[in-house]
Amino acid sequence: MNTLSKYDLHSDLTIRHENIRKEMISQDFEACLFSGSVNMFYLCGQVINGYFYISESEQPYLFVKRPIGITGENVFYIRKPEQIIEILAEKGIQPPQNIMLETGELPYNEIIRIQKIFNPQKLGNATALARKVRSIKTPYEIELFRISAQMHVNAYRNISSLYKKGMTDREFSIEIEREMRLAGSLGIFRAFGQGMDIFMGSILAGENAGEPSPFDFALGGGGLHPSIPVGANGTKLKDGMTVMVDMGGTFTGYITDMTRVYSIGNISEEAQKAHQVSIEIHDTITQIAKPGSICEELYNLSVSIVKKYNLSDKFMGISQQAKFVGHGIGIEVNELPVLAPRFNSPLEEGMVFALEPKFIIPHVGAVGNENSYLVTKNGIEKLTIFEEEIIPLQ
């Protein structure tokens, strides 16, 4: 499935460059220098080891270390960043008096090195700038989301058939990961921030769903080893248990997020009730959310629905409760916006976010769905359209 023929990547990259430039100028900076893989992919359409330089008046310049074979009018191969300023000088371009770097991502030594090269009077945070710009998706990016969502759904259709009685959550996860890769998953799950390690997603079964994790995900899981304490931990799947499948839709470079819950045998009425509350939260927010909706208010609305059903102590965890109910998605799984307390920014047309009201039910496991939504002109559109009820495993 590919509907991108009506879009042109080169033209879309030009739009992205201009959006970066406008935001940079609005913050009173002359230039930005990017080098992180995520922003290089956003600005170049591919991951490049090098630097992308954009100023308020000049065409962007791409300085490449690897790979070989990249061509273009403003493409230059370099061995070290000190050559950037030399090449700009040869082009008659004066060094900027103030510049933005990815200070939220670059190692300290790299920041010091680039500061020494440019010697600016003022240094800005290009990490925050890029995350703000990337939160509004272009038509090309939205089509990539649509493709990813459909591939994601197609892979989930086969999950029930992968279950075999007597499996552990690890064994079930392996089969699901294999299915995802066969369906086209790229197998990489990018997340912003340190200490956000995970492979393709997580499978949470039974009591393990309530195990706290150091990572900033909605629910944790103990994991198989202290080096990656998240997700499946070897729990044997048995009657009366739920299995939450939260595998990233990493099919196009743009990540759709979708969680579905499966059950083995009969599960408690409380678990079924909590799952219906999750569906109610989705339905309610789908009806009212639109451009201008304040993210904190959507979070508070979710919390009020949970309180109505006396499930607050089980919402987004038990011993450790996540303080958000949704998050932006894109090249990384945790982009802007965030549906959380004190996040007072509004939804804007072109944003794509995941909504994930989830519950932990003791002695049963996790329940609740997660879906990906596009903010449209008049509301929000669900992208991950798949069975919402708890799905029995036979």
Side-chain angles (χ1 to χ4, degrees), residues 38 101 116 167 214 253 317:
V38 167
L101 307 178
K116 186 176 180 180
M167 272 183 161

Side-chain angles (χ1 to χ4, degrees), residues 221-281:
L224 294 165
H225 191 270
S227 67
I228 309 181
V230 66
N233 71 340
T235 294
K236 187 172 181 179
L237 306 184
K238 58 185 180 181
D239 285 353
M241 178 182 292
T242 60
V243 183
M244 176 172 279
V245 177
D246 185 3
M247 304 296 288
T250 58
F251 296 95
T252 64
Y254 286 79
I255 305 170
T256 47
D257 221 355
M258 176 169 60
T259 297
R260 290 298 184 268
V261 176
Y262 299 78
S263 63
I264 304 170
N266 295 320
I267 61 171
S268 70
E269 290 185 7
E270 183 180 31
Q272 296 177 47
K273 169 189 170 183
H275 191 78
Q276 291 304 313
V277 174
S278 175
I279 292 175
E280 181 177 329
I281 292 171

Side-chain angles (χ1 to χ4, degrees), residues 17-186:
H17 300 166
E18 188 58 30
N19 290 340
I20 291 286
R21 179 182 283 111
K22 287 179 180 177
E23 182 62 29
M24 176 189 74
I25 292 172
S26 75
Q27 296 188 29
D28 198 27
F29 280 87
E30 299 173 42
C32 281
L33 186 70
F34 296 97
S35 60
S37 294
V38 167
N39 286 326
M40 293 298 274
F41 176 68
Y42 178 73
L43 294 165
C44 304
Q46 66 181 100
V47 175
I48 293 172
N49 185 334
Y51 301 87
F52 186 92
Y53 178 85
I54 186 167
S55 68
E56 57 185 347
S57 58
E58 303 289 337
Q59 289 295 311
Y61 282 79
L62 180 60
F63 302 94
V64 183
K65 293 181 180 179
R66 292 183 297 273
I68 62 171
I70 297 174
T71 59
E73 182 180 356
N74 294 328
V75 175
F76 300 89
Y77 273 81
I78 61 172
R79 301 182 312 280
K80 55 185 180 179
E82 283 76 9
Q83 292 174 264
I84 295 174
I85 204 76
E86 298 170 3
I87 294 170
L88 292 177
E90 291 173 2
K91 297 294 180 180
I93 300 172
Q94 295 295 317
Q97 294 298 302
N98 49 69
I99 190 170
M100 306 186 86
L101 307 178
E102 294 160 303
T103 54
E105 302 165 81
L106 289 177
Y108 174 76
N109 286 346
E110 179 76 359
I111 294 172
I112 296 301
R113 183 178 185 179
I114 295 174
Q115 277 187 292
K116 186 176 180 180
I117 293 169
F118 284 90
N119 192 28
Q121 295 179 2
K122 184 170 68 169
L123 187 66
N125 185 354
T127 297
L129 176 145
R131 283 174 61 79
K132 179 180 179 180
V133 171
R134 290 195 342 247
S135 70
I136 309 296
K137 274 56 181 183
T138 64
Y140 186 96
E141 293 178 290
I142 290 169
E143 284 305 304
L144 288 175
F145 270 111
R146 294 190 187 282
I147 293 169
S148 185
Q150 188 58 61
M151 296 176 76
H152 205 169
V153 167
N154 290 343
Y156 266 46
R157 293 189 196 283
N158 298 323
I159 287 177
S160 295
S161 66
L162 304 175
Y163 170 74
K164 293 181 176 58
K165 192 172 182 179
M167 272 183 161
T168 65
D169 59 354
R170 176 178 179 270
E171 292 167 336
F172 194 31
S173 178
I174 289 169
E175 295 303 316
I176 296 172
E177 289 167 13
R178 181 177 185 274
E179 183 67 29
M180 296 288 286
R181 291 304 304 271
L182 289 173
S185 171
L186 303 174

